[in-house]
Amino acid sequence: MKKFCLLLAILASVQIAGAQQVKSVAAARSSVEKAEKASQDAKKSVNPTTWIKLGQAYMEAYYAAQGDGRLGATDQELSLVMSGVKPIAEEQVVVAGTPMLKRVYDTKNYYFNSAGQLAIIETTTPVIENALGKAIEAYKKASELDVKGKKSKDIVEGMKIVDQKCLDEAYMAYNFGDLKLASEYFEKAANAFVDGCPVDTNAVYNVGFTSYMSGDYDRAKEWFNKSIAIGFDGENGEAFAKLADIADRQGDQKARLGYLEAAFSKYPQSQSVLIGLINYYISTGENTSRLFELIDGAKRNEPGNASLYYVEGNVHEKLGNSEAALAAYEECSKVDPNYEYGYIAKGIHFYNKAVEIQTLANEELDDAKYNALVEEFEVTLKSALEPFETALSLTKNDEVKKQVAEYLKNICFRFRTESDVFSQKYEKYSKISAGE
């Protein structure tokens, strides 16, 4: 899922039911029975309004099981709308790493965050089984019958509400660690479309993602391909990268390479795709020159794209071509002197090389050789200073600043007794890496 914080996705979701009076369980069930009966009547069943009302009845049943709670409400606020309704039990739990107070009621569980706000509503005993899925089908039927589009606005609004609630349920299931259920709700959201209410592309992708995470690779493959077919590849071609991994797991190396090359042609800067390609050539023993053919082709198409030289350097680094990697990083900075990642990569190159030399020095028993290695270590480590400092001056990303400052802090700590310059820089970079 696109690097989202799923718990926050739930906390920030809109409680659509908050704008209406929630029916009692008995009243909601009665409304569904009445609406279903109307949909079975020969005359009424051809009227789109009949099916809109059925969709609304299913949603009323969905809300009835959740009760009068509203996301974001405090205890005091809930006491006004839930007068006399007491929880059956309560306990402290952890949801997706976040401590919460769980209160158990007859048809639902309420989860409160540390601020005392209602953060999650979990239905345990639905009034109508699969109310959201049935609502989707009702609105689809209404759209099918509404040939003149007179009820289009009501149908679209109703379907959008169902889609949002399917997503809420999917995110909640994911937070509770139920990937299979999350995938089922994402699939419902993916099916919640009619004319004027397009397919939820994120939902389509996330059916594939949750299936992949749960090990259901055939289902993941089906939905990732659907996602690509509708023009949604995930972030930087993640759908292709996941399909390549599935193909590898299923022993189809030809398909694996096909997915990776297709992704690389669209997202040459994607690290997951690049790593997938590198791993492919390393694991299969095939000629890695094909990697550089792909990169050269991308550079011909975009000669001013510094990230392609950055990618080229990363490939050389992974393959152990140290000098070629450094040359690519330097070319990256020439192509675009303001592209911070070329400098970061160059700094990391020297930093990692210094660590390797330090390891050799620690294992060296001969004093003369040891001293020579220590001298080489210090020269190499200092070589990382300039590119890191340049990157720090260029980047606007606070997280990148902290990461680069962490490297600089470590370097300056080594030389802090050598001069006041290093000790002052150590203090400076320590504060930046800490986010001060």
Side-chain angles (χ1 to χ4, degrees):
M1 301 199 189
K2 296 179 57 185
K3 294 184 178 178
F4 46 32
C5 177
L6 290 165
L7 187 60
L8 290 180
I10 293 176
L11 302 184
S13 67
V14 178
Q15 181 76 339
I16 303 296
Q20 64 186 44
Q21 181 66 40
V22 176
K23 289 187 174 182
S24 68
V25 169
R29 186 176 288 113
S30 177
S31 293
V32 169
E33 291 171 355
K34 182 179 178 181
E36 286 181 337
K37 185 177 180 180
S39 72
Q40 294 163 7
D41 181 271
K43 291 184 178 180
K44 294 179 180 179
S45 65
V46 296
N47 187 338
T49 300
T50 299
W51 295 93
I52 293 172
K53 288 181 177 179
L54 180 57
Q56 292 170 339
Y58 285 134
M59 291 308 294
E60 288 172 350
Y62 170 81
Y63 294 128
Q66 294 192 336
D68 292 309
R70 300 291 180 272
L71 295 180
T74 62
D75 264 339
Q76 185 176 5
E77 292 166 336
L78 288 175
S79 66
L80 297 175
V81 296
M82 297 178 64
S83 179
V85 180
K86 302 297 182 183
I88 299 169
E90 65 177 49
E91 62 177 322
Q92 293 292 333
V93 297
V94 176
V95 179
T98 301
M100 289 192 172
L101 171 64
K102 173 184 176 182
R103 287 182 178 159
V104 180
Y105 296 88
D106 53 352
T107 62
K108 69 273 183 181
N109 296 329
Y110 285 176
Y111 294 79
F112 294 83
N113 60 25
S114 58
Q117 297 172 310
L118 180 56
I120 302 174
I121 299 175
E122 177 190 24
T123 299
T124 54
T125 307
V127 175
I128 299 294
E129 288 293 337
N130 192 29
L132 294 178
K134 290 178 179 178
I136 290 170
E137 294 307 313
Y139 284 119
K140 281 183 176 289
K141 183 65 176 180
S143 180
E144 178 188 320
L145 293 170
D146 185 36
V147 292
K148 294 183 179 180
K150 292 183 177 181
K151 295 294 180 180
S152 177
K153 182 179 179 181
D154 293 337
I155 295 168
V156 169
E157 287 180 355
M159 190 65 94
K160 285 182 177 179
I161 291 172
V162 182
D163 174 52
Q164 182 60 59
K165 299 317 297 180
C166 287
L167 292 176
D168 286 350
E169 293 289 344
Y171 292 134
M172 179 166 60
Y174 187 92
N175 276 317
F176 287 135
D178 193 337
L179 293 171
K180 184 175 183 297
L181 183 60
S183 186
E184 290 172 1
Y185 274 112
F186 277 126
E187 183 173 355
K188 285 183 172 67
N191 288 325
F193 64 91
V194 290
D195 289 341
C197 181
V199 176
D200 188 327
T201 54
N202 272 300
V204 175
Y205 176 84
N206 285 332
V207 179
F209 178 85
T210 46
S211 299
Y212 173 85
M213 293 296 290
S214 66
D216 189 348
Y217 297 122
D218 287 335
R219 177 175 164 81
K221 182 177 177 181
E222 175 190 355
W223 283 89
F224 278 137
N225 277 315
K226 285 182 178 180
S227 185
I228 291 170
I230 60 176
F232 191 82
D233 307 336
E235 186 175 6
N236 289 324
E238 280 297 319
F240 286 106
K242 294 291 190 297
L243 283 167
D245 183 63
I246 292 169
D248 183 29
R249 292 171 184 272
Q250 296 180 339
D252 190 344
Q253 297 303 320
K254 183 178 180 180
R256 177 189 178 191
L257 180 59
Y259 286 128
L260 290 170
E261 291 198 351
F264 187 82
S265 66
K266 294 182 69 176
Y267 307 100
Q269 76 283 2
S270 170
Q271 289 302 296
S272 61
V273 172
L274 177 62
I275 291 170
L277 274 170
I278 293 171
N279 288 339
Y280 170 82
Y281 283 104
I282 291 175
S283 64
T284 61
E286 292 188 22
N287 193 337
T288 55
S289 62
R290 175 59 179 159
L291 267 174
F292 297 103
E293 289 176 13
L294 292 169
I295 294 171
D296 287 342
K299 287 195 293 186
R300 284 194 296 273
N301 292 332
E302 297 182 82
N305 188 342
S307 69
L308 297 175
Y309 295 89
Y310 170 73
V311 166
E312 182 179 19
N314 287 346
V315 173
H316 280 301
E317 202 78 78
K318 291 284 186 181
L319 296 175
N321 305 329
S322 183
E323 291 184 8
L326 184 58
Y329 295 142
E330 290 177 344
E331 189 64 27
C332 173
S333 299
K334 290 179 184 177
V335 170
D336 184 356
N338 295 314
Y339 184 70
E340 64 263 43
Y341 294 100
Y343 300 103
I344 292 172
K346 186 176 178 181
I348 292 174
H349 170 87
F350 283 120
Y351 188 92
N352 288 342
K353 186 176 180 182
V355 171
E356 292 175 5
I357 296 169
Q358 183 182 44
T359 300
L360 291 175
N362 291 338
E363 296 172 352
E364 182 57 62
L365 300 178
D366 183 281
D367 287 344
K369 291 180 180 179
Y370 170 79
N371 291 331
L373 285 169
V374 169
E375 183 179 351
E376 184 183 359
F377 159 74
E378 291 182 344
V379 170
T380 304
L381 190 59
K382 285 181 179 178
S383 297
L385 274 171
E386 182 182 352
F388 276 139
E389 289 180 329
T390 302
L392 188 64
S393 69
L394 290 173
T395 188
K396 301 295 189 297
N397 186 302
D398 289 339
E399 285 304 312
V400 173
K401 283 183 179 180
K402 286 193 279 188
Q403 291 168 17
V404 173
E406 183 69 22
Y407 279 109
L408 286 166
K409 180 188 78 172
N410 293 339
I411 295 170
C412 293
F413 179 81
R414 167 72 185 188
F415 303 110
R416 71 193 185 286
T417 59
E418 186 176 299
S419 73
D420 289 341
V421 173
F422 283 111
S423 62
Q424 291 168 6
K425 284 186 175 183
Y426 170 74
E427 295 296 330
K428 172 185 174 182
Y429 297 135
S430 294
K431 291 179 180 179
I432 296 174
S433 68
E436 297 179 13

